Amino acid sequence: MYVIIIGCGRVGSELAKLLSGEGHNVVVIDKNRAAFERLGGSFNGLTLTGNGFDLELLKRAGIEQADAFCAVTNGDNSNLISAQVAKKIFKVPKVIARVYDPQRAHIYSALGLDVLSGTILFAAMIRDKIIETRFSGYLIETKELGVIEIEVKGVLAGKTIAQVNMPGELLVTAIIRMPGVVIPEPQTVLREKETLMAVVKVASLGKIKEKFGLGER
């Protein structure tokens, strides 16, 4: 993929290194040339100094061939403007904007942008750890679903995935089975001490915890 990243701070630089290391074509734009030092010597993409909403600079960056555009500077307004330029003027297929102010998140979404709010995500992660360490609501972008970990022990050992799944309430999507992770089939048999990762309906969380004996840690 051809990806343009606006902002070479901690998030932007790490994203650039990850994508570049996977073989994608990456262009990083930042107002501060010194920021590119975060990319290190192994980064083999292109760096450009300037604003992420400068039309001529974006053309030099190859935005007309870009598959994705990520605005991750430390300024919400800059991210909004840059993302709008990428989406409305250059028609980039995938445009993602980082937002600090949770109150602005709905504005970004209404404009048709993919929005990531670190403030909301981090608060949700802490909430999950406080309330129920096995449950993570922030992994899925809806308040109706979450992801839960279930340790295989007792009566669960020897059961199949089909016997564990609860239609409309719980769906096992992966098994942590050393030395890796397995995507199970309905007939997959569970083993003692494995961990199930399942999508769960939040409204059924209490019922599921009781059924599988998931007391507080």
Side-chain angles (χ1 to χ4, degrees):
M1 295 183 70
Y2 195 102
V3 183
I4 296 177
I5 299 172
I6 308 301
C8 195
R10 293 177 180 176
V11 173
S13 60
E14 286 302 313
L15 176 60
K17 287 187 286 186
L18 283 172
L19 291 171
S20 178
E22 293 171 356
H24 299 287
N25 295 314
V26 181
V27 181
V28 184
I29 297 174
D30 196 287
K31 293 187 294 184
N32 182 8
R33 184 182 300 273
F36 300 134
E37 294 176 5
R38 290 191 175 97
L39 296 171
S42 62
F43 178 72
N44 60 3
L46 177 66
T47 58
L48 294 172
T49 305
N51 290 311
F53 45 84
D54 183 323
L55 300 186
E56 291 304 315
L57 183 63
L58 289 174
K59 288 179 181 179
R60 284 173 51 202
I63 193 170
E64 292 165 321
Q65 68 186 75
D67 300 298
F69 181 98
C70 304
V72 291
T73 74
N74 59 6
D76 285 358
N77 289 334
S78 295
N79 290 341
L80 174 58
I81 295 171
S82 299
Q84 280 289 87
V85 168
K87 188 173 185 66
K88 303 299 184 182
I89 297 179
F90 293 105
K91 312 297 182 184
V92 178
K94 182 176 288 292
V95 177
I96 300 171
R98 177 188 187 183
V99 57
Y100 284 88
D101 184 355
Q103 302 304 316
R104 297 188 184 187
H106 70 283
I107 299 175
Y108 280 57
S109 297
L111 293 172
L113 305 176
D114 284 334
V115 179
L116 291 176
S117 173
T119 304
I120 295 174
L121 287 174
F122 194 59
M125 289 171 68
I126 294 175
R127 177 267 174 202
D128 291 345
K129 292 298 182 183
I130 292 173
I131 304 302
E132 171 55 61
T133 58
R134 297 179 182 86
F135 177 76
S136 297
Y138 70 93
L139 293 175
I140 299 179
E141 294 182 5
T142 170
K143 295 180 180 179
E144 297 179 357
L145 298 175
V147 174
I148 193 168
E149 296 179 19
I150 301 174
E151 183 182 352
V152 178
K153 59 183 179 179
V155 295
L156 270 182
K159 288 187 178 294
T160 65
I161 293 296
Q163 292 174 312
V164 174
N165 284 337
M166 300 167 60
E169 296 182 286
L170 180 133
L171 176 67
V172 177
T173 56
I175 303 174
I176 300 176
R177 175 178 287 176
M178 297 304 292
V181 178
V182 175
I183 304 299
E185 300 289 339
Q187 66 273 18
T188 300
V189 178
L190 302 179
R191 305 171 187 169
E192 193 83 26
K193 296 184 179 180
E194 293 179 336
T195 300
L196 308 181
M197 302 297 294
V199 176
V200 59
K201 188 175 182 180
V202 172
S204 302
L205 188 58
K207 173 183 176 182
I208 290 166
K209 288 172 62 178
E210 182 177 354
K211 176 176 181 178
F212 295 108
L214 303 178
E216 296 297 333
R217 284 182 181 175

